[in-house]
Amino acid sequence: MKKSFTLLLSFMSLHIFSQTYYPFRTDSATWTIVEYGYGTLPPETGTWHFGLGGDTVIDSYTYTKIYCNWGSLGTINPEPVFNIQTATLYGMFREDSTKKVWFRQALDTAAYIYYDFNLNLGDTFCFHSEPSGVLCHQVYLVDSILINGNYRRQIHFQYGGQEEVWVEGIGSLYDNWIGDWSFIGNIEWTLNCYREHNFHMYGTCNYPTSISEQNKETTSPGIFPNPVTDRLNVRMNSGEETEIIFYDIESRRLFSSCFTYSISINTERFLKGIYIYEIREHSGLIHKGKIVK
């Protein structure tokens, strides 16, 4: 009887403890996303660093600003960790009293609901944009994860063999503030490292930080700026005849152009979003990556 009573108290303690709500940090949080492109063997990677940097008021609401050291597939982020001195404004978020998290990217004119931590099993959430074309998904599981000695609530979605998981106070364990999880293609994102006050809270934190010794320094293209403004500059070191091809996020070919050494491309006609590029050299060497506008 005493053992049963002890087990009951332990269960009640865990249940009550897990009901503690963990809101998003409004300072000190930094995180790293690793992007994987499975069009090559081994998969290409890209590393993105994010961090928070103060508040701003829009339409009488206070938003926390998110900054980013941008990454792209097949290239190495020049920053080994988040560096707000070289980061650019990525977007802003706010969390309301109903546990909804509103987000707007830097150039957006309105905010939309990015997370809703008031969801329960069987509820449906409609995502803002999903390349698969399926926006609304049902919660199939709600459970908890132990982080830094505390249990935080998790919300799970599934579609077409893919999974999305939200954790209170952290966000997605995959495409945290970037990318998509419900898509048709060969790209995916993973939350590799999450810290608060520089304290490791989640992830392996083993993201790529250097280029392997394959003379990549002389063969990798220079593509800038990224994010793109009205022109995209591409530079190559090889001097070979080269073709650059652009695709949308669903891998539909948009246009291509041939050049030698360098080219400046007018991108005014590009809509805001993520684009995939592929550079083909005459020797057969192929470089792939992403740009953001």
Side-chain angles (χ1 to χ4, degrees):
M1 183 67 179
K2 182 178 180 180
K3 183 177 180 181
S4 300
F5 181 68
T6 302
L7 289 174
L8 178 60
L9 284 178
S10 299
F11 173 79
M12 291 175 61
S13 175
L14 176 60
H15 179 74
I16 294 171
F17 196 66
S18 65
Q19 297 308 303
T20 300
Y21 180 65
Y22 293 88
F24 274 82
R25 298 289 303 190
T26 56
D27 63 0
S28 79
T30 61
W31 61 99
T32 296
I33 304 295
V34 175
E35 180 184 9
Y36 296 90
Y38 293 100
T40 61
L41 290 175
E44 288 185 313
T45 58
T47 303
W48 305 67
H49 302 301
F50 293 87
L52 306 180
D55 296 333
T56 186
V57 177
I58 303 175
D59 298 331
S60 300
Y61 292 107
T62 299
Y63 287 80
T64 299
K65 293 185 285 186
I66 302 174
Y67 286 84
C68 179
N69 298 120
W70 295 83
S72 62
L73 274 178
T75 62
I76 298 299
N77 196 313
E79 300 291 349
V81 294
F82 175 70
N83 183 357
I84 197 168
Q85 301 300 321
T86 58
T88 57
L89 181 65
Y90 177 75
M92 296 144 279
F93 77 90
R94 65 179 177 88
E95 188 168 5
D96 66 23
S97 59
T98 65
K99 304 179 183 177
K100 292 182 176 64
V101 179
W102 298 76
F103 175 68
R104 54 191 295 165
Q105 285 194 293
L107 299 179
D108 285 345
T109 57
Y112 55 90
I113 299 175
Y114 200 92
Y115 296 114
D116 183 356
F117 287 98
N118 203 34
L119 295 176
N120 292 298
L121 184 65
D123 289 344
T124 297
F125 181 81
C126 294
F127 292 78
H128 179 68
S129 176
E130 294 295 343
S132 68
V134 182
L135 297 180
C136 300
H137 299 269
Q138 193 174 56
V139 177
Y140 88 94
L141 176 66
V142 176
D143 61 5
S144 298
I145 182 173
L146 183 63
I147 295 180
N148 194 29
N150 299 304
Y151 283 93
R152 300 193 185 202
R153 194 166 178 262
Q154 289 189 134
I155 298 174
H156 300 250
F157 302 89
Q158 277 188 340
Y159 172 76
Q162 303 168 81
E163 184 178 35
E164 172 72 315
V165 182
W166 297 349
V167 175
E168 287 181 355
I170 292 179
S172 171
L173 297 187
Y174 298 102
D175 53 293
N176 197 294
W177 300 107
I178 191 171
D180 301 278
W181 70 275
S182 169
F183 64 95
I184 299 173
N186 59 2
I187 298 175
E188 70 177 22
W189 294 261
T190 297
L191 177 61
N192 183 273
C193 191
Y194 177 84
R195 295 183 173 98
E196 291 180 4
H197 295 289
N198 208 31
F199 180 79
H200 176 207
M201 302 279 288
Y202 177 85
T204 59
C205 297
N206 62 347
Y207 50 85
T209 57
S210 63
I211 301 177
S212 61
E213 295 298 325
Q214 294 179 351
N215 200 28
K216 289 187 178 181
E217 185 176 353
T218 60
T219 60
S220 294
I223 297 182
F224 59 93
N226 192 5
V228 181
T229 53
D230 291 334
R231 301 201 74 84
L232 178 69
N233 302 298
V234 183
R235 292 180 182 174
M236 301 293 295
N237 294 322
S238 65
E240 294 184 11
E241 182 179 357
T242 306
E243 181 183 25
I244 184 167
I245 308 168
F246 289 90
Y247 304 87
D248 63 18
I249 197 64
E250 297 180 13
S251 298
R252 292 185 294 238
R253 182 169 174 149
L254 300 178
F255 79 95
S256 64
S257 183
C258 294
F259 67 98
T260 302
Y261 282 114
S262 66
I263 188 173
S264 182
I265 301 170
N266 187 334
T267 57
E268 290 181 345
R269 63 185 181 276
F270 280 36
L271 299 176
K272 186 171 65 173
I274 299 174
Y275 296 87
I276 301 168
Y277 68 81
E278 184 176 88
I279 296 177
R280 296 178 177 268
E281 295 185 57
H282 183 70
S283 62
L285 185 63
I286 297 177
H287 308 275
K288 293 182 180 180
K290 282 200 321 182
I291 60 171
V292 179
K293 184 170 184 182

